[in-house]
Amino acid sequence: MVTTSVLQEEAAYTKDKYFDSSDKFFDSPVWFGLLVLGCAIPYWFSQYAIAFGFCAVALAVALIFTRNTMPAFSAFMMCTLAVIEQYKITTEEIFGYAWVLIPVAPAFIFHIIRYMPLREKYRPSKTFLPQVAVTVMLMMGGAGSISAAMYFRLAPLYYVLFLGPVLLGMMTLMQSDIPKKGEYISKYLAKTMMAAALLLLLMWFACCLKEGFGIHLPYRQWKNNAGNFMLLAAPLTVWYGIKKKWGVVFIGFATFQALSVAMSGSRGSTLMMAVVFPLSLIVYLINVKGWRRLVDMLPVIIATVAMLAYFLPNGAENLFKYIEDFDITDSSGRDNLYAEGLKNFFEYPIFGTGLGYRNDVVYPLNDMAIFWYHSTPIQIIASMGIFGAMAYIYQFVVRMRIGLKNSAFHICTLLGFLGFEGYSCVNTGDFTPLPFAFFAVYVFLILEKCNDDAEFMKSEQKENILKGMER
């Protein structure tokens, strides 16, 4: 017999102009399971193009069958993970992936045209003008300091366009096609990031099966990208556990995410996870009642006991060995990059040296790479000068005003974002167009939509850290 709640859910899908009957499939474990397995199985056989193609087809299908862009967003995030091993990809290899446009481009055009009659009159989001400011400064970066040949190189042109005008256009479309249902979009964001985290854990497991298990995971250059994903996913996983009866499952899953970061050897993301994860757990504990406070913390307690059991018997020796293997004191060369960035800023303080700047003596560039200072603040001032800094500060302030709300979901989402931003101070994060710059834009559109849903915000206030502190 069909329950009342199921009937209500189906009625909500059929009535809402954002949803189609296919959305029940796109919101099901089958959809997320297909995305995860469609990447994990080819990864085992090093067939990254197959995984990428599978996700591209899934993205096209989602664009065609529903106006709601969140399923397409989930497929897109998996696309970026499908090729995570190919960080040294050349220009020739990138163009070799152009076949992905065969399914995606027509689907994208179809999506725009098919759902045009359902869209209301466009009203810019609160993040629109900040993104315009950032776009202008990205294009102005390097004015008067570098040659046209350097400015119009393919690599920096890609970053300028995809961090600026292209991202602005994508943001405009995404805003119109994100449902105005806070409960739905908040949970969908959490499910998407949990699926991404599960895929990364499966990838790490595959690496261990091939190279052996230990206190440290096998070295992979993409450990830093994995750290970014986990920082964004872990707090949302914890928040999702608040909404479910068996929260212990999600706390356990989030604990695995945090441990994978620590075991990967990614220093910056480990330090940020050490801040973000405990704060997320505090939000959880304040928002659950009774027996759940202890029972749901069992995975964290077990992980803590296991770590103490490893370090305490020969505490100092094991700890120093761990730190040595962790490569915490390696010569990463970041000091040279930071010095170069500050030098460039002081020489060209107005518009910086642009993303087209290169200095192969300090940092030889790969094909399709820009001069990475490995620090978002230094990247901004060195590449765009004081006006670029003003644009990014403006964007950050607006984002904080959107995210700092009386809501457990907002708090956990913001914790992940701030963890990502903190790590970006010693990494490339914000200047990686796909997926991280796009993710940041998309997630604040989601938060803004949630803010406009009074019913959702009211329900979240029953589960929020501020009220919990008053009890």
Side-chain angles (χ1 to χ4, degrees):
M1 184 175 179
V2 181
T3 64
T4 304
S5 61
V6 172
L7 290 173
Q8 288 174 342
E9 181 181 359
E10 291 183 355
Y13 277 121
T14 54
K15 278 171 51 178
D16 198 295
K17 61 185 178 181
Y18 285 97
F19 296 116
D20 191 89
S21 58
S22 59
D23 279 85
K24 291 193 289 292
F25 167 74
F26 290 129
D27 192 24
S28 70
V30 175
W31 168 252
F32 290 105
L34 285 172
L35 290 176
V36 171
L37 292 176
C39 291
I41 294 172
Y43 179 82
W44 174 261
F45 298 100
S46 301
Q47 297 298 316
Y48 313 121
I50 293 176
F52 187 69
F54 176 84
C55 292
V57 170
L59 171 60
V61 169
L63 286 170
I64 290 171
F65 284 98
T66 177
R67 177 191 170 189
N68 168 22
T69 56
M70 297 211 71
F73 167 69
S74 63
F76 165 76
M77 294 299 285
M78 292 299 182
C79 274
T80 65
L81 286 173
V83 290
I84 200 170
E85 287 277 5
Q86 298 184 282
Y87 61 94
K88 286 188 176 180
I89 193 167
T90 65
T91 305
E92 182 180 350
E93 288 171 327
I94 286 175
F95 282 106
Y97 276 102
W99 51 264
V100 75
L101 296 174
I102 296 173
V104 173
F108 187 72
I109 295 169
F110 174 87
H111 181 92
I112 293 173
I113 297 172
R114 164 66 180 82
Y115 300 106
M116 185 73 74
L118 299 177
R119 297 188 183 102
E120 300 170 356
K121 181 180 178 181
Y122 176 71
R123 294 179 180 176
S125 71
K126 293 178 181 178
T127 55
F128 180 80
L129 286 180
Q131 184 61 37
V132 170
V134 166
T135 298
V136 170
M137 294 320 304
L138 281 163
M139 294 190 291
M140 290 293 295
S145 66
I146 60 173
S147 66
M150 291 178 70
Y151 184 93
F152 288 104
R153 285 190 303 114
L154 183 60
L157 203 58
Y158 159 74
Y159 282 92
V160 168
L161 290 176
F162 275 79
L163 289 169
V166 173
L167 191 55
L168 187 63
M170 293 171 70
M171 172 182 171
T172 304
L173 175 64
M174 295 300 107
Q175 178 195 345
S176 300
D177 290 346
I178 296 174
K180 298 178 181 179
K181 290 187 174 294
E183 186 75 11
Y184 172 83
I185 60 179
S186 59
K187 288 183 177 179
Y188 206 100
L189 175 64
K191 291 175 187 176
T192 297
M193 296 314 296
M194 285 191 288
L198 176 59
L199 174 58
L200 283 165
L201 289 176
L202 290 174
M203 288 177 170
W204 280 125
F205 185 65
C207 295
C208 290
L209 285 177
K210 292 179 179 180
E211 300 177 31
F213 293 83
I215 191 65
H216 282 279
L217 295 169
Y219 174 80
R220 287 296 183 274
Q221 193 277 344
W222 48 262
K223 67 184 187 300
N224 295 329
N225 271 345
N228 277 322
F229 272 99
M230 295 305 191
L231 282 168
L232 296 165
L236 285 168
T237 305
V238 171
W239 170 79
Y240 197 77
I242 296 172
K243 315 294 284 187
K244 297 296 180 180
K245 182 178 180 180
W246 295 101
V248 63
V249 174
F250 298 95
I251 295 298
F253 185 28
T255 303
F256 273 116
Q257 295 171 34
L259 288 174
S260 75
V261 173
M263 294 171 67
S264 72
S266 176
R267 296 160 296 163
S269 57
T270 299
L271 291 173
M272 291 312 304
M273 186 64 83
V275 176
V276 166
F277 187 54
L279 289 176
S280 302
L281 294 178
I282 290 172
V283 175
Y284 188 94
L285 288 171
I286 288 172
N287 283 288
V288 299
K289 299 178 182 179
W291 59 269
R292 288 187 62 181
R293 288 177 183 262
L294 175 62
V295 173
D296 290 1
M297 289 299 112
L298 283 177
V300 179
I301 295 169
I302 292 169
T304 303
V305 170
M307 290 170 62
L308 291 174
Y310 175 79
F311 286 119
L312 286 182
N314 299 296
E317 181 182 347
N318 283 336
L319 184 60
F320 280 119
K321 182 178 184 303
Y322 179 78
I323 293 173
E324 182 182 349
D325 292 342
F326 193 52
D327 212 15
I328 192 74
T329 57
D330 75 336
S331 177
S332 64
R334 278 178 169 79
D335 52 347
N336 294 330
L337 299 176
Y338 299 160
E340 183 71 8
L342 293 173
K343 177 179 76 70
N344 290 342
F345 170 65
F346 288 122
E347 288 183 3
Y348 303 98
I350 307 301
F351 296 118
T353 56
L355 295 186
Y357 172 80
R358 65 184 301 162
N359 185 335
D360 290 333
V361 175
V362 176
Y363 183 74
L365 300 184
N366 294 332
D367 220 7
M368 287 305 293
I370 59 173
F371 192 94
W372 294 113
Y373 297 96
H374 282 273
S375 171
T376 288
I378 293 179
Q379 190 86 46
I380 291 169
I381 62 173
S383 302
M384 288 163 275
I386 191 67
F387 285 105
M390 291 170 63
Y392 273 91
I393 290 171
Y394 172 38
Q395 183 183 62
F396 183 79
V397 169
V398 171
R399 285 175 170 177
M400 291 304 99
R401 291 183 67 181
I402 292 170
L404 286 169
K405 300 296 180 184
N406 198 13
S407 154
F409 171 68
H410 286 64
I411 292 169
C412 287
T413 304
L414 212 56
L415 279 174
F417 175 74
L418 291 174
F420 165 78
E421 286 296 321
Y423 183 31
S424 294
C425 289
V426 292
N427 198 33
T428 60
D430 286 285
F431 282 80
T432 306
L434 307 176
F436 297 120
F438 173 78
F439 177 87
V441 163
Y442 197 80
V443 79
F444 280 97
L445 289 176
I446 290 173
L447 288 174
E448 193 171 346
K449 294 272 187 178
C450 289
N451 291 344
D452 293 336
D453 186 342
E455 184 179 347
F456 171 75
M457 294 301 291
K458 184 178 179 180
S459 69
E460 277 291 291
Q461 287 172 8
K462 296 175 184 176
E463 305 162 338
N464 101 46
I465 188 168
L466 301 178
K467 289 206 172 198
M469 287 179 172
E470 295 170 1
R471 289 200 289 268

